[in-house]
Amino acid sequence: MASTIVIKDVSKSFGKKAVLNNINLTVDSGQIYGLIGPSGSGKTTLVKLIVGMDRPSQGHIHVLDTPIPNLNLLQKIGYMAQADALYTDLTGEENLAFFASLFKLNKKDQKERIAYAAELVNLTPHLKKKVQDYSGGMKRRLSLAVALIQDPQVLILDEPTVGIDPELRQSIWAEIHRLKETGKTILVTTHVMDEAEKCDRLAMVRDGEILTSGTPAELKEHYRITSLEEVFLKAGGKKE
Ligand SMILES: Nc1ncnc2c1ncn2[C@@H]1O[C@H](COP(=O)(O)OP(=O)(O)O)[C@@H](O)[C@H]1O
Ligand SMILES: [Mg+2]
């Protein structure tokens, strides 16, 4: 299987503060890869290195066999940031049009992509509303649509379900699975343990280190327990 994201010996410090310590991780193409860890464990820092918004202090990252950072790759990587970066005094449609305009799309393709992305996240009926009148969940869905606007091969979703009620959480996860079916490779971060089960593979992070990684079934078998929450506690205890 081809590797879409390869992270090799990556460390990151801010000043004297070490935030990531020797991270090694490979995401195969077509996978949903979950990065699970408590708040402050370094998930967002790692994600920003992958999308090229910041540089590792040490180590290397490749996405689609290309060293990061690389401007041309932005076309191929959809990024949903942890905080919604939307223009609240514009409508949903205007937001999508703005982000679509950042990519090389002709007018017709732009329109099609906007319609497609909005439909995917069930926002079509709300496109003419200003984003300031959107609920938290609608804003998260619009951010997901923004990440999809250029039809990227790789999706990096930083806590896509944070602050979203359970029903909508289900619908976002259904969406993530549907995107996988269309052949996309997806890296998703979460601090919610029950979302770990929905991933093909997981890495559990704490204090900037990967405690353990594998499929949910492998992890449970390895630690001889039935819940991933317990895996996290056990793996953390052993510092594996
Ligand atoms: N620009 C920065 N400067 C200094 N410290 C930072 C910076 N960005 C993140 N950190 C620190 O790095 C640690 C990991 O943060 P983060 O990657 O946001 O974790 P997570 O996304 O898992 O909650 C935290 O202690 C945070 O305060
Ligand atoms: Mg974060």
Side-chain angles (χ1 to χ4, degrees), residues 14-15 17-20 37-46 48 54 82 158-159 189:
F14 294 106
K17 186 179 159 116
V19 171
L20 295 175
S39 181
S41 55
K43 303 181 298 295
T44 296
T45 302
L46 184 58
K48 284 184 176 168
D54 204 353
Q82 186 170 350
D158 197 3
E159 307 231 18
T189 78

Coordinates of all heavy atoms in Angstrom, one line a residue, residues 14-15 17-20 37-46 48 54 82 158-159 189, ligand 1:
F14 N 9.2 24.9 20.9 CA 8.9 26.4 20.8 C 9.9 27.0 21.9 O 9.6 26.8 23.1 CB 7.5 26.7 21.1 CG 6.5 26.2 20.1 CD1 5.7 25.1 20.3 CD2 6.5 26.8 18.8 CE1 4.8 24.6 19.4 CE2 5.6 26.4 17.9 CZ 4.8 25.3 18.1
G15 N 10.9 27.6 21.5 CA 11.9 28.1 22.4 C 12.5 26.9 23.1 O 12.9 25.9 22.5
K17 N 10.7 24.9 25.0 CA 9.7 24.0 25.3 C 9.6 22.9 24.2 O 9.2 23.2 23.1 CB 8.4 24.7 25.5 CG 7.2 23.9 26.0 CD 6.0 24.7 26.1 CE 4.7 23.9 26.0 NZ 3.9 23.8 27.2
A18 N 9.9 21.7 24.6 CA 9.7 20.6 23.6 C 8.2 20.2 23.6 O 7.7 19.8 24.6 CB 10.6 19.4 24.0
V19 N 7.6 20.2 22.4 CA 6.2 19.9 22.3 C 6.0 18.6 21.6 O 5.1 17.8 21.9 CB 5.5 21.1 21.5 CG1 4.1 20.7 21.2 CG2 5.5 22.3 22.4
L20 N 6.9 18.2 20.6 CA 6.8 16.9 19.9 C 8.2 16.3 20.1 O 9.2 17.0 19.9 CB 6.4 17.1 18.5 CG 5.1 17.6 18.2 CD1 4.9 17.8 16.6 CD2 4.0 16.7 18.7
G37 N -5.5 12.0 21.5 CA -4.7 12.4 22.7 C -5.4 13.5 23.4 O -6.2 14.3 22.8
P38 N -5.1 13.7 24.7 CA -5.7 14.8 25.4 C -5.3 16.2 24.9 O -4.3 16.3 24.2 CB -5.2 14.6 26.9 CG -4.0 13.8 26.8 CD -4.1 13.0 25.5
S39 N -6.0 17.1 25.4 CA -5.7 18.5 25.0 C -4.3 18.8 25.5 O -3.9 18.5 26.6 CB -6.8 19.4 25.8 OG -6.6 20.7 25.5
G40 N -3.6 19.5 24.6 CA -2.2 19.9 25.0 C -1.2 18.8 24.6 O 0.0 19.0 24.9
S41 N -1.6 17.7 24.0 CA -0.6 16.6 23.8 C 0.2 16.9 22.6 O 1.2 16.2 22.3 CB -1.3 15.3 23.7 OG -2.4 15.3 22.7
G42 N -0.2 17.8 21.7 CA 0.7 18.1 20.6 C 0.0 17.8 19.2 O 0.7 17.9 18.2
K43 N -1.3 17.5 19.2 CA -1.9 17.1 18.0 C -1.9 18.2 16.9 O -1.6 18.0 15.8 CB -3.4 16.6 18.3 CG -3.5 15.5 19.3 CD -5.0 15.1 19.5 CE -5.9 16.2 20.1 NZ -5.5 16.7 21.4
T44 N -2.4 19.4 17.4 CA -2.5 20.5 16.4 C -1.1 20.9 15.9 O -0.9 21.2 14.7 CB -3.2 21.7 17.1 OG1 -4.5 21.3 17.4 CG2 -3.2 22.9 16.2
T45 N -0.1 20.9 16.8 CA 1.3 21.2 16.4 C 1.7 20.3 15.3 O 2.2 20.7 14.3 CB 2.2 21.1 17.6 OG1 1.8 21.9 18.6 CG2 3.6 21.5 17.2
L46 N 1.4 19.0 15.4 CA 1.8 18.0 14.4 C 1.1 18.2 13.1 O 1.7 18.2 12.0 CB 1.6 16.6 14.9 CG 2.0 15.4 14.0 CD1 3.5 15.5 13.7 CD2 1.8 14.1 14.6
K48 N -0.1 21.0 12.0 CA 0.4 22.2 11.3 C 1.7 21.9 10.6 O 2.0 22.5 9.5 CB 0.6 23.3 12.3 CG -0.8 23.9 12.7 CD -0.5 25.1 13.6 CE -1.9 25.8 13.9 NZ -1.7 26.8 15.0
D54 N 4.0 25.2 9.6 CA 5.2 25.4 10.5 C 6.2 24.3 10.2 O 5.8 23.4 9.5 CB 4.7 25.3 12.0 CG 5.7 26.1 12.9 OD1 6.7 26.5 12.5 OD2 5.3 26.2 14.1
Q82 N -8.6 23.6 13.7 CA -9.4 23.4 14.9 C -10.3 24.5 15.2 O -11.5 24.3 15.6 CB -8.4 23.2 16.1 CG -9.1 22.8 17.4 CD -8.1 22.4 18.5 OE1 -6.9 22.2 18.3 NE2 -8.6 22.3 19.7
D158 N -8.6 18.7 12.0 CA -8.2 18.9 13.4 C -9.4 19.0 14.3 O -10.1 20.1 14.3 CB -7.2 20.1 13.5 CG -6.4 20.1 14.7 OD1 -6.6 19.1 15.5 OD2 -5.7 21.0 15.0
E159 N -9.7 18.0 15.0 CA -10.9 18.0 15.9 C -12.2 18.5 15.2 O -12.8 19.4 15.6 CB -10.6 18.8 17.1 CG -9.3 18.4 17.8 CD -9.5 18.1 19.3 OE1 -10.6 17.9 19.8 OE2 -8.4 18.1 20.0
T189 N -7.8 14.3 14.0 CA -7.4 14.3 15.4 C -8.7 14.4 16.3 O -9.7 14.9 15.8 CB -6.5 15.5 15.8 OG1 -7.4 16.7 15.9 CG2 -5.5 15.8 14.8
Ligands
LIG1 N1 3.3 28.7 19.1 C1 3.4 28.1 20.2 N2 4.3 28.6 21.1 C2 4.5 27.9 22.3 N3 3.9 26.9 22.7 C3 3.0 26.3 21.9 C4 2.7 26.9 20.6 N4 1.8 26.1 20.0 C5 1.5 25.1 20.9 N5 2.2 25.2 22.0 C6 2.2 24.3 23.2 O1 2.3 23.0 22.7 C7 1.6 22.1 23.4 C8 0.7 21.3 22.5 O2 -0.3 22.1 21.9 P1 -1.2 21.6 20.8 O3 -0.4 21.1 19.7 O4 -2.2 22.7 20.5 O5 -2.0 20.4 21.5 P2 -3.4 19.7 21.2 O6 -3.8 20.1 19.8 O7 -3.1 18.2 21.3 O8 -4.3 20.2 22.2 C9 0.8 22.9 24.4 O9 1.5 22.8 25.7 C10 0.8 24.3 23.8 O10 0.7 25.2 24.8

